[in-house]
């Protein structure tokens, strides 16, 4: 027996060495041209090339060792653990949830409420600026956008590749109306949402006759049309120069955050002059907007309209046979999603103080959609986690200065942002094909609330 | 709504007149006329490709007929021309609901949610088109509770009450068939159209289906069904219409249809030399029977 076991062990090692070597060879061939050779312009503006054998070596070694460790150690270990668990008779999926798991939402909310002050305590007033603004506000904007798109893609099952158009409508609504008419943020926030929702209906009418791939392509085109209009309608939008000097949001009209204003917030409260207080204020505004989005989504799901959205995702023909007006139902989903995009857009404009068509490219739509899909379509918690991982992760890459010591001073981690973004998506989709939270919470129950496994829900087809 | 040109007696719920449906060059239904009586189970039978499902799709608004008139009379006396209604209005306004040959449930929603979706229009009105419902007004809460009670009633009827909180996709085939019927009934229809409800069921499940359908009829809903399973057709239907190649070849009580030589010929086929013999018989029959 022991001998046999040893044989198996040796077999595993041999296999691991072999697979590691194969992975190394494949990595070498793949990265030979991409990483091993670098082209650059010399002083005479001639294109010349040089080799980067060291970097190529790192890539190959990582691939080979990674594969070796996976096959030789990690997989046998996991198999052994599974076997041991099966022997003891404990179910793989334990019914008992841990304290953290059960109270995750409450813990997350408390953490978010304390976050700006924690950041200030740890990093000081100026140091915390980065954490509140780049991490906090940035992530929450994406959470809100993804929750808005979730209504269209996750609930109603309409694949919308041009969601950023509504974000742009919201942002430009605020920028233009505040610059030209001097309306305040608190008046323009709902107006921007309504305008974006209105645009959602206008775009929805012609588009929603289409289904599936066709719908995706047409929404993509509409997204681009909006951007091109913003670029070319220079009389109003100032084209690629964008609109700058957009008014800041005020503290509900009571205190202003403009430095020169008489009712300056910092002066009124005797605080030192620093922009961090404005950022903290904005953090709470976007947090409140996110909570509003989540609350409305949760409430709507329990309404007949929300159920009709999900039914539409599952089977459109059956919906029609049950007397549901599918066109109106799709339009409401489109308009509601667009409205939240508009809210986020007007907030973005107020936070940035500057909008230009650059901010509303297709890549933004793709990132928002990726967050929705990675999070698990329809699940608010999953989407929030995905936003933290994706947006926070890429922001974190800017901080990875130590990588320069490994890859040399020329290495700029931000440039690998998209590569890692893609890599993370592939990995998540391999291990969690239904996203981080693949189950669906039922909206009504008779006896017990049981989560619906992701294998039953459909993705929608238009 | 538009009123039919012909007067309908009160006991007729659906009148199909000169219905024709053309797909390109193919005449799927050719001048087909029949009636379905209120409070009865009417069966539509015929060999494969006879055009039964096409007739169904015309009645339930999934196809627009090339020619013909489909008049539905509700119990309050209102008449609707089904071919002029939009697809979802056939259920919402005219009170016709249907099931599908290949089951179409919302598989990712629970059984209960499936039945709540079916009550969409009632709940929409109660929730003030979502606006009042979002504010949490009591009127919507009452309506939501009533909707769950109605769903519960049909779950018990369809023997699915124990599975209420499971996803619909998790049910067995027979249970999915029953759920689809229960879902159609939750829309509160006057005419229920069933497209092969017994397909793929075992004899025991067929039997429970018969009881369920009879129960639905006895509660006052008229039924129109397409069926291949003759044990179901002959046992429960009050009236049978037989189609072949898009034309009606027989119409009457199950016993009458069973013995109609035309029907037997359509189902079993005939040898060449027998054709003349049967044609003679048919001529004889039409002279005698008059309206066969």
């Amino acid at each position: 027996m022991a001998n046999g076991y040893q044989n198996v062990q040796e077999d595993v090692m041999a296999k691991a060495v072999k697979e590691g070597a194969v992975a190394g060879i494949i990595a070498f061939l793949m990265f030979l041209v991409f990483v091993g050779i670098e082209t650059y312009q010399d002083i005479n503006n001639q294109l010349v090339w040089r080799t980067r054998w060291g970097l190529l070596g790192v890539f190959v070694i990582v691939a080979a060792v990674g594969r070796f460790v996976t096959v030789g150690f990690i997989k046998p270990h996991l198999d052994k653990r599974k076997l041991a668990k099966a022997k003891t008779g404990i179910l793989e999926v334990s019914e008992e949830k841990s304290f953290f798991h059960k109270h995750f939402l409450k813990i997350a909310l408390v953490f978010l409420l304390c976050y700006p002050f924690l950041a200030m305590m740890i990093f000081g007033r100026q140091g915390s600026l980065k954490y509140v603004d780049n991490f906090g506000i940035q992530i929450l904007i994406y959470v809100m956008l993804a929750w808005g798109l979730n209504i269209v893609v996750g609930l109603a099952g309409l694949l919308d590749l041009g969601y950023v158009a509504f974000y742009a409508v919201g942002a430009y609504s605020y920028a233009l109306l505040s610059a030209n008419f001097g309306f305040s943020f608190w008046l323009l926030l709902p107006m921007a949402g309504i305008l974006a929702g209105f645009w959602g209906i206008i775009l929805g009418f012609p588009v929603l006759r289409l289904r599936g791939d066709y719908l995706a392509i047409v929404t993509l085109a509409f997204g681009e049309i909006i951007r091109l209009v913003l670029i070319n309608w220079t009389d109003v939008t100032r084209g690629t120069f964008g609109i700058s000097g957009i008014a800041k949001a005020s503290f509900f009209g009571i205190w202003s955050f403009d430095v020169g204003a008489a009712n300056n917030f910092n002066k009124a409260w005797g605080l030192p002059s620093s922009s961090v207080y404005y950022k903290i204020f904005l953090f709470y505004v976007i947090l409140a907007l996110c909570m509003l989005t989540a609350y409305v989504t949760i409430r709507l799901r329990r309404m007949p309209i929300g159920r009709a959205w999900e039914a539409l995702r599952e089977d459109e023909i059956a919906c029609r046979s049950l007397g549901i007006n599918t066109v109106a139902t799709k339009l409401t989903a489109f308009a509601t999603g667009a409205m939240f995009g508009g809210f986020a857009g007007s907030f973005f404009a107020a936070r940035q103080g500057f909008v230009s068509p650059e901010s509303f490219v297709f890549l933004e739509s793709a990132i928002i959609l990726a967050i929705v899909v990675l999070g698990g379509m329809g699940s608010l918690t999953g989407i929030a986690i995905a936003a933290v991982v994706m947006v926070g992760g890429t922001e974190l890459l800017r901080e990875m200065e130590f990588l320069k010591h490994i890859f040399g001073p020329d290495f700029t981690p931000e440039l690998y942002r998209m590569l890692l973004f893609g890599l993370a998506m592939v990995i998540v989709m391999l291990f969690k094909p239904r996203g981080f939270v693949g189950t669906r919470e039922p909206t009504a129950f008779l006896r017990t609330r049981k989560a619906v496994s992701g294998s039953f829900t459909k993705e929608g087809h238009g | 709504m538009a009123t039919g040109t012909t007067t309908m007696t009160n006991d007729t719920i659906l009148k199909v007149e000169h219905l024709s449906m053309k797909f390109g060059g193919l005449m799927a239904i050719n001048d087909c006329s029949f009636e379905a009586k209120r409070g009865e189970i009417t069966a539509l039978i015929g060999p494969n490709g006879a055009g039964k499902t096409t007739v169904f799709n015309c009645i339930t608004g999934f196809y627009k007929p090339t020619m013909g008139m489909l008049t539905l009379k509700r119990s309050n006396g209102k008449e609707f021309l089904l071919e002029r209604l939009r697809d979802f209005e056939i259920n919402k306004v005219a009170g016709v609901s249907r099931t599908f040959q290949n089951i179409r449930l919302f598989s990712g929603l629970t059984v209960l949610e499936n039945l709540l979706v079916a009550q969409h229009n009632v709940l929409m009105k109660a929730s003030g088109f979502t606006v009042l419902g979002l504010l949490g007004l009591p009127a919507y809460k009452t309506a939501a509770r009533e909707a769950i009670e109605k769903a519960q009633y049909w779950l018990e009827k369809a023997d699915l009450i124990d599975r209420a909180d499971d996803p619909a996709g998790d049910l067995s085939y027979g249970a999915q068939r029953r759920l689809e019927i229960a879902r159609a009934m939750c829309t509160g229809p006057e005419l229920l159209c069933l497209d092969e409800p017994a397909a793929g069921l075992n004899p025991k499940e067929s039997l429970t289906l018969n009881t369920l359908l009879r129960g639905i009829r006895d509660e006052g809903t008229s039924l129109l069904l397409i069926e291949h399973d003759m044990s179901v057709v002959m046992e429960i239907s009050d009236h049978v219409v037989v189609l072949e190649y898009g034309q009606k070849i027989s119409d009457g009580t199950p016993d009458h249809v069973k013995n109609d030589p035309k029907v037997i010929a359509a189902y079993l086929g005939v040898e060449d030399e027998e054709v003349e013999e049967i044609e003679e018989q048919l001529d004889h029959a039409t002279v005698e029977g008059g309206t066969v």
Side-chain angles (χ1 to χ4, degrees):
Chain A
M1 276 300 275
N3 205 1
Y5 184 71
Q6 211 162 20
N7 269 345
V8 171
Q9 196 83 320
E10 273 166 21
D11 280 357
V12 167
M13 278 301 130
K15 197 176 158 209
V17 171
K18 209 170 90 186
E19 292 209 6
V22 170
I25 292 167
I26 292 175
F28 174 75
L29 292 175
M30 269 178 67
F31 293 116
L32 179 63
V33 193
F34 296 119
V35 181
I37 296 167
E38 187 193 21
T39 55
Y40 66 101
Q41 281 176 324
D42 66 4
I43 300 165
N44 304 326
N45 260 350
Q46 278 174 326
L47 195 67
V48 290
W49 60 283
R50 62 183 164 205
T51 52
R52 291 191 292 190
W53 298 125
L55 194 60
L56 179 64
V58 171
F59 272 75
V60 171
I61 288 167
V62 165
V65 171
R67 186 68 196 164
F68 172 74
V69 170
T70 313
V71 175
F73 298 99
I74 296 176
K75 232 175 130 219
H77 176 72
L78 288 179
D79 287 348
K80 223 185 278 171
R81 217 171 58 175
K82 215 184 251 175
L83 202 68
K85 266 192 183 164
K87 270 181 189 158
T88 53
I90 296 169
L91 280 173
E92 181 78 25
V93 186
S94 159
E95 288 291 311
E96 275 298 305
K97 288 175 179 172
S98 66
F99 175 82
F100 180 73
H101 204 106
K102 241 191 272 178
H103 299 276
F104 176 72
L105 290 179
K106 282 176 214 157
I107 294 170
L109 191 62
V110 169
F111 173 74
L112 278 175
L113 286 172
C114 304
Y115 177 74
F117 297 105
L118 282 176
M120 263 220 310
M121 261 160 56
I122 298 169
F123 301 103
R125 196 179 301 124
Q126 287 311 313
S128 68
L129 206 62
K130 183 173 75 187
Y131 290 93
V132 175
D133 195 22
N134 289 4
F135 285 92
I137 296 178
Q138 185 75 2
I139 290 172
L140 285 178
I141 287 179
Y142 276 96
V143 168
M144 177 157 180
L145 285 171
W147 279 351
L149 184 63
N150 174 48
I151 292 174
V152 184
V153 179
L155 295 184
L158 305 166
L159 186 53
D160 181 358
L161 292 181
Y163 188 64
V164 81
F166 306 120
Y167 188 39
V169 168
Y172 270 84
S173 302
Y174 177 63
L176 291 173
L177 290 173
S178 103
N180 293 332
F181 299 100
F183 293 150
S184 82
F185 175 74
W186 294 105
L187 180 68
L188 286 176
L189 181 70
M191 259 174 86
I194 289 164
L195 277 172
F198 187 63
W199 267 104
I201 292 173
I202 292 176
L203 295 191
F205 257 115
V207 163
L208 292 178
R209 292 167 197 282
L210 304 167
R211 301 181 61 177
D213 312 348
Y214 308 101
L215 176 77
I217 289 168
V218 175
T219 50
L220 168 70
F222 266 116
E224 287 301 288
I225 286 172
I226 296 262
R227 192 173 64 88
L228 291 173
V229 166
L230 292 180
I231 290 177
N232 291 303
W233 197 9
T234 42
D235 295 345
V236 177
T237 64
R238 281 192 246 158
T240 43
F241 294 114
I243 299 168
S244 51
I246 299 168
K248 286 179 174 176
S250 67
F251 195 95
F252 303 104
I254 305 170
W255 293 293
S256 163
F257 287 98
D258 289 327
V259 182
N263 57 346
N264 183 282
F265 181 82
N266 297 7
K267 275 186 213 155
W269 287 82
L271 294 165
S273 133
S274 161
S275 65
V276 75
Y277 299 106
Y278 180 54
K279 297 295 180 196
I280 290 174
F281 168 69
L282 285 181
F283 179 87
Y284 284 115
V285 170
I286 186 70
L287 186 62
L289 283 173
C290 281
M291 291 299 118
L292 176 79
T293 315
Y295 177 75
V296 171
T297 308
I298 290 167
R299 283 304 292 264
L300 280 179
R301 272 193 73 210
R302 291 187 202 140
M303 292 273 141
I305 188 72
R307 289 204 192 101
W309 288 340
E310 291 201 77
L312 203 63
R313 178 191 68 205
E314 300 287 319
D315 195 321
E316 186 177 343
I317 289 175
C319 276
R320 271 188 266 160
S321 84
L322 296 173
I324 296 172
N325 185 345
T326 48
V327 176
T329 309
K330 282 181 184 179
L331 273 181
T332 50
F334 223 61
T336 315
M339 187 181 75
F340 288 119
F343 285 150
S346 71
F347 175 84
F348 172 78
R351 171 225 184 188
Q352 217 73 355
F354 168 73
V355 289
S356 80
E358 286 283 285
S359 313
F360 309 107
V361 290
F362 170 66
L363 187 65
E364 292 294 312
S365 289
I367 289 174
I368 300 163
L369 185 67
I371 291 171
V372 174
V373 174
L374 284 178
M377 299 211 290
S379 157
L380 295 182
T381 319
I383 289 169
I385 294 170
V388 171
V389 172
M390 287 294 141
V391 183
T394 51
E395 285 295 323
L396 212 59
L397 274 179
R398 294 184 206 279
E399 311 297 317
M400 301 271 185
E401 289 299 314
F402 68 88
L403 287 176
K404 283 195 176 168
H405 299 298
I406 303 172
F407 296 110
D410 292 344
F411 184 79
T412 35
E414 295 103 287
L415 294 181
Y416 289 83
R417 209 162 68 102
M418 280 299 140
L419 180 72
L420 292 175
F421 195 83
L423 209 62
M425 266 171 66
V426 171
I427 290 169
V428 173
M429 285 291 114
L430 276 178
F431 289 100
K432 289 232 157 204
R434 288 271 163 175
F436 289 135
V437 180
T439 54
R440 177 186 167 272
E441 280 291 312
T443 60
F445 63 97
L446 218 50
R447 285 172 200 155
T448 47
R449 184 184 289 274
K450 289 184 233 172
V452 176
S453 150
S455 54
F456 293 115
T457 52
K458 297 195 175 110
E459 298 90 3
H461 27 62
Chain B
M1 276 298 150
T3 323
T5 45
T6 46
T7 48
M8 285 167 77
T9 48
N10 225 359
D11 60 340
T12 306
I13 182 157
L14 175 75
K15 194 169 182 177
V16 177
E17 288 165 287
H18 307 292
L19 179 70
S20 293
M21 182 76 207
K22 223 172 167 177
F23 294 111
L26 176 78
M27 206 70 167
I29 313 168
N30 191 1
D31 196 22
C32 173
S33 304
F34 66 90
E35 282 183 11
K37 296 258 180 295
R38 187 178 299 283
E40 280 192 356
I41 298 181
T42 308
L44 200 58
I45 65 169
N48 282 333
K52 304 177 299 283
T53 301
T54 312
V55 170
F56 243 57
N57 283 341
C58 288
I59 293 171
T60 50
F62 283 83
Y63 294 155
K64 287 272 167 264
T66 318
M67 263 185 283
M69 194 154 86
L70 303 158
T71 321
L72 184 117
K73 186 166 187 169
R74 293 196 73 146
S75 53
N76 58 14
K78 273 191 188 157
E79 287 183 14
F80 298 96
L81 291 178
L82 297 182
E83 76 274 10
R84 294 195 188 166
L85 294 180
R86 285 196 285 165
D87 49 15
F88 72 93
E89 284 176 337
I90 292 198
N91 180 283
K92 190 180 174 181
V93 183
V96 178
S97 72
R98 71 168 293 177
T99 64
F100 296 87
Q101 195 173 347
N102 45 344
I103 307 173
R104 285 184 172 276
L105 288 172
F106 306 123
S107 58
L109 308 190
T110 66
V111 170
L112 180 70
E113 283 178 308
N114 266 272
L115 300 189
L116 292 179
V117 171
Q119 301 176 54
H120 177 77
N121 288 318
V122 177
L123 287 173
M124 251 334 230
K125 210 174 271 173
S127 70
F129 298 92
T130 313
V131 181
L132 300 178
L134 265 185
L135 302 173
L137 291 195
Y140 172 67
K141 281 181 187 157
T142 323
R145 204 167 40 241
E146 278 167 7
I148 288 182
E149 272 163 23
K150 188 173 185 181
Q152 226 168 337
Y153 174 79
W154 281 107
L155 283 175
E156 267 157 22
K157 277 259 182 188
D159 193 22
L160 289 167
I161 194 80
D162 295 328
R163 305 298 305 271
D165 299 319
D166 290 327
D170 203 17
L171 298 181
S172 70
Y173 192 78
Q176 292 198 2
R177 283 254 175 240
R178 292 202 302 279
L179 175 58
E180 209 188 12
I181 294 170
R183 187 181 69 181
M185 285 311 293
C186 274
T187 63
E190 288 195 25
L191 178 67
L192 174 65
C193 301
L194 304 169
D195 197 345
E196 298 202 20
L201 299 190
N202 64 34
K204 200 180 148 215
E205 286 173 324
S206 265
L207 222 61
T208 34
L209 179 77
N210 286 358
T211 331
L212 176 64
L213 295 187
R214 276 209 205 92
I216 289 171
R217 178 192 60 187
D218 295 342
E219 282 188 23
T221 306
S222 318
L223 281 95
L224 179 66
L225 63 106
I226 293 178
E227 193 46 75
H228 273 300
D229 188 338
M230 284 303 152
S231 68
V232 174
V233 172
M234 293 307 161
E235 195 162 319
I236 65 167
S237 45
D238 305 299
H239 181 102
V240 180
V241 177
V242 191
L243 292 184
E244 194 195 14
Y245 297 121
Q247 279 173 314
K248 187 171 84 173
I249 58 168
S250 187
D251 187 345
T253 61
D255 276 334
H256 169 90
V257 165
K258 212 172 358 184
N259 300 316
D260 189 333
K262 259 187 165 176
V263 177
I264 296 167
Y267 266 88
L268 301 178
V270 284
E271 303 281 331
D272 281 346
E273 54 265 33
E274 286 175 47
V275 171
E276 278 180 31
E277 202 180 306
I278 285 174
E279 272 173 358
E280 247 170 57
Q281 269 182 18
L282 286 178
D283 289 340
H284 193 63
T286 31
V287 171
E288 266 189 0
T291 56
V292 173

